[in-house]
Amino acid sequence: MRWAFLIAVSSLFILGCFPKKKVVKEEVVVPEEKVEVTKPEVEPEVAKVELNRINFDFDKYDIRPGDAKILENNAKVLREHPDINVLIEGHCCEIGTAEYNMALGWKRAKAAKDYLINLGIKPDRLSTISYGEERPLDPRDLPKNRRAEFVIK
């Protein structure tokens, strides 16, 4: 055992005595290249498309007559642009528990989706999400927060 240790130590000592190669660090200057970053192009027509939000009464998720007109207009826009998909976001004001508002936001988004489907929009173009009270439009104006938003995907 001692012999193995002595051989290992002497090998390291002998290897350490050999002349070492000099390492020369050179600084390489690479000419600056212009790199263009391109964003995926959005079709000009799609960029102009706008879908309007609808609002709801306190603690309700039924579509009001005025909001039905907005949904009819949104459906018309979607029929004109069959390549557009939409995420419908359900929102609430801060009255009530977070859990209750999350469920109510989902019901609002689903009500808007169902209404658009009844107007002839294919269901696979529409998806829903609830943000409950988490994303208020205006924390000082509770009725504004009781809404459904339509986000083009």
Side-chain angles (χ1 to χ4, degrees), residues 58 93-101 133:
F58 174 72
C93 66
E94 62 188 30
I95 299 173
T97 66
E99 295 83 11
Y100 182 84
N101 287 334
E133 62 190 60

Side-chain angles (χ1 to χ4, degrees), residues 78-90:
L78 290 172
R79 281 191 294 274
E80 292 170 358
H81 300 278
D83 54 326
I84 291 176
N85 294 324
V86 176
L87 173 64
I88 304 171
E89 301 175 341

Side-chain angles (χ1 to χ4, degrees), residues 47-136:
K48 294 178 188 176
V49 173
E50 188 174 315
L51 300 173
N52 294 308
R53 78 175 58 98
I54 61 171
N55 292 91
F56 295 89
D57 289 327
F58 174 72
D59 201 28
K60 302 281 185 198
Y61 58 92
D62 52 326
I63 305 297
R64 305 179 303 186
D67 295 303
K69 299 269 188 222
I70 294 170
L71 287 172
E72 289 167 14
N73 186 53
N74 286 353
K76 179 183 173 198
V77 170
L78 290 172
R79 281 191 294 274
E80 292 170 358
H81 300 278
D83 54 326
I84 291 176
N85 294 324
V86 176
L87 173 64
I88 304 171
E89 301 175 341
H91 297 272
C92 299
C93 66
E94 62 188 30
I95 299 173
T97 66
E99 295 83 11
Y100 182 84
N101 287 334
M102 193 62 74
L104 181 58
W106 184 84
K107 289 176 184 177
R108 288 174 174 174
K110 185 173 179 339
K113 178 182 178 179
D114 291 344
Y115 202 93
L116 289 172
I117 290 169
N118 287 333
L119 292 174
I121 305 304
K122 293 183 180 179
D124 61 342
R125 296 179 59 196
L126 306 171
S127 56
T128 58
I129 191 169
S130 173
Y131 289 111
E133 62 190 60
E134 298 301 316
R135 295 185 178 185

